[in-house]
Amino acid sequence: MSKRRGCLGLSLPLVIGIVVVFLVLFVVGFISGPLGQSLFGDVGLPDWIKVPRPNPQLPAETVFHLFGFPITNSIIATWITMVILVGVSFLVSRRMKIVPKGLQNLVEYAIEALFNFCKRVAGDENGRRFFPVVATIFLFVVFNSWLSLLPGFGSISIVNAEGHHVELLRGANTDINMPLALALVSFVFIEFYGLKMLGFGYIGKFVRAKQFVKGLGQLVRGKIKSGLGGLFFGAIDIFVGTLEAMSEFIRVVSFTFRLFGNMTAGEILLLVTAFLVPWVFAMPFYGLELLVGFVQALIFSGLTLVFMTVAVASHGEEGH
């Protein structure tokens, strides 16, 4: 007789055992949490089962000083992310095979997907040109987001030089300085490629005084009607150019607070759910944060790609 199968190829007794374990963990977590204690009171469960009350801090906490500079827990998480990315790149590129397997296959699939995404948005030539910036931003943001979901990441605390208990690690995307730094990097590369591809003509998108100056000239030559019309439409052009310039800088703010807000809200959500009902209740929210981290990385890098494409193409199209 063939062995009975339950779910996902597992035997039925094993499936039942897993479900029972999850139910027991859920019940124990519910009773040990503040929601269960408010209903049933303290049933005498050991303290190690309970999750301490969360105390989220918006400013990153200083762990130690290096050459007089404060090193925060978010900077340490950033360093770890960089080490992981460099380490994975080294392991994959050390012994590359024509037919990829394992880690090389996974990394090549991700890189190829990002590369094709860049080419679809920006075209073949510009896609190749923009790919290093877009891929770096995407990989850094997504690895930083997923790293903070590892068990124990935000629960290891030490005593710093000032004698305060601080968390050793914190997701860098929840420290507003890191999203701001990424937004500034995106801003610099957008303007860099615009100037590189279009020269000083790129500035013409922001400085639109040609029509206004022409209207002044016509007014001086006695052409009152056409001169006033040129001044009117020239003033509109100057206003539009000013809005274009302002939008470039406002984009830095929107990029920063979009990433910071979503990542911080997700971290607080996980802390609160794990505190209210410890153990398995928070697992679906961990899955949700995996998706949110991927989506935010894709949005940040994708918008950078789109704006670089627009910076290179829009002014040229206006000139035709």
Side-chain angles (χ1 to χ4, degrees):
M1 293 178 63
S2 61
K3 193 173 182 179
R4 294 182 64 186
R5 294 289 177 180
C7 179
L8 299 177
L10 302 176
S11 63
L12 187 60
L14 182 58
V15 172
I16 295 175
I18 293 174
V19 171
V20 170
V21 169
F22 269 80
L23 287 176
V24 170
L25 289 176
F26 176 78
V27 172
V28 172
F30 181 79
I31 295 175
S32 64
L35 290 180
Q37 290 184 7
S38 65
L39 294 175
F40 307 108
D42 191 354
V43 296
L45 293 174
D47 292 336
W48 61 266
I49 294 180
K50 304 174 183 178
V51 174
R53 182 186 298 272
N55 184 29
Q57 302 287 335
L58 283 183
E61 299 171 300
T62 301
V63 179
F64 62 91
H65 288 78
L66 184 64
F67 304 115
F69 293 97
I71 305 301
T72 63
N73 43 17
S74 60
I75 291 179
I76 297 176
T78 300
W79 290 346
I80 294 175
T81 303
M82 294 166 61
V83 169
I84 291 176
L85 288 173
V86 172
V88 170
S89 301
F90 174 76
L91 290 175
V92 170
S93 60
R94 186 180 60 171
R95 295 180 180 177
M96 297 188 67
K97 299 179 180 179
I98 298 178
V99 180
K101 296 181 181 179
L103 183 61
Q104 181 186 346
N105 191 28
L106 178 63
V107 172
E108 285 191 7
Y109 175 79
I111 296 299
E112 184 179 1
L114 283 172
F115 185 60
N116 291 333
F117 172 66
C118 291
K119 290 198 297 183
R120 283 196 300 269
V121 174
D124 189 70
E125 184 177 355
N126 285 334
R128 293 175 181 273
R129 183 178 291 113
F130 301 153
F131 170 72
V133 178
V134 175
T136 301
I137 291 177
F138 175 84
L139 293 174
F140 182 81
V141 173
V142 76
F143 269 81
N144 228 320
S145 302
W146 289 351
L147 182 66
S148 61
L149 298 177
L150 294 177
F153 184 86
S155 60
I156 303 174
S157 61
I158 64 171
V159 179
N160 61 9
E162 289 77 18
H164 301 142
H165 285 271
V166 298
E167 294 179 357
L168 179 62
L169 299 172
R170 171 182 174 168
N173 294 329
T174 64
D175 179 3
I176 196 170
N177 295 289
M178 180 54 64
L180 176 59
L182 290 172
L184 289 174
V185 168
S186 174
F187 170 81
V188 168
F189 275 101
I190 290 170
E191 306 309 317
F192 167 76
Y193 280 117
L195 287 170
K196 181 180 179 181
M197 301 293 292
L198 303 175
F200 286 102
Y202 174 70
I203 303 176
K205 185 170 69 171
F206 312 113
V207 182
R208 302 187 177 189
K210 183 177 179 181
Q211 184 74 12
F212 189 83
V213 173
K214 183 179 179 180
L216 281 176
Q218 291 174 333
L219 208 62
V220 170
R221 291 192 298 269
K223 300 179 180 179
I224 305 299
K225 184 176 180 180
S226 58
L228 290 176
L231 290 177
F232 176 74
F233 290 108
I236 293 177
D237 276 350
I238 292 174
F239 179 71
V240 171
T242 304
L243 290 181
E244 288 276 3
M246 290 177 60
S247 68
E248 297 291 314
F249 293 98
I250 293 173
R251 192 182 300 154
V252 175
V253 179
S254 66
F255 271 37
T256 299
F257 283 97
R258 180 188 293 110
L259 181 60
F260 169 72
N262 282 283
M263 293 296 99
T264 304
E267 182 182 75
I268 294 175
L269 174 65
L270 290 178
L271 291 174
V272 171
T273 53
F275 169 69
L276 293 177
V277 182
W279 305 101
V280 298
F281 180 71
M283 290 183 63
F285 297 96
Y286 272 88
L288 177 63
E289 284 306 303
L290 284 172
L291 177 62
V292 169
F294 174 81
V295 170
Q296 289 303 313
L298 187 61
I299 290 175
F300 202 107
S301 59
L303 288 177
T304 300
L305 173 62
V306 169
F307 287 128
M308 284 193 294
T309 305
V310 171
V312 169
S314 62
H315 184 75
E317 292 171 359
E318 290 171 2
H320 288 297

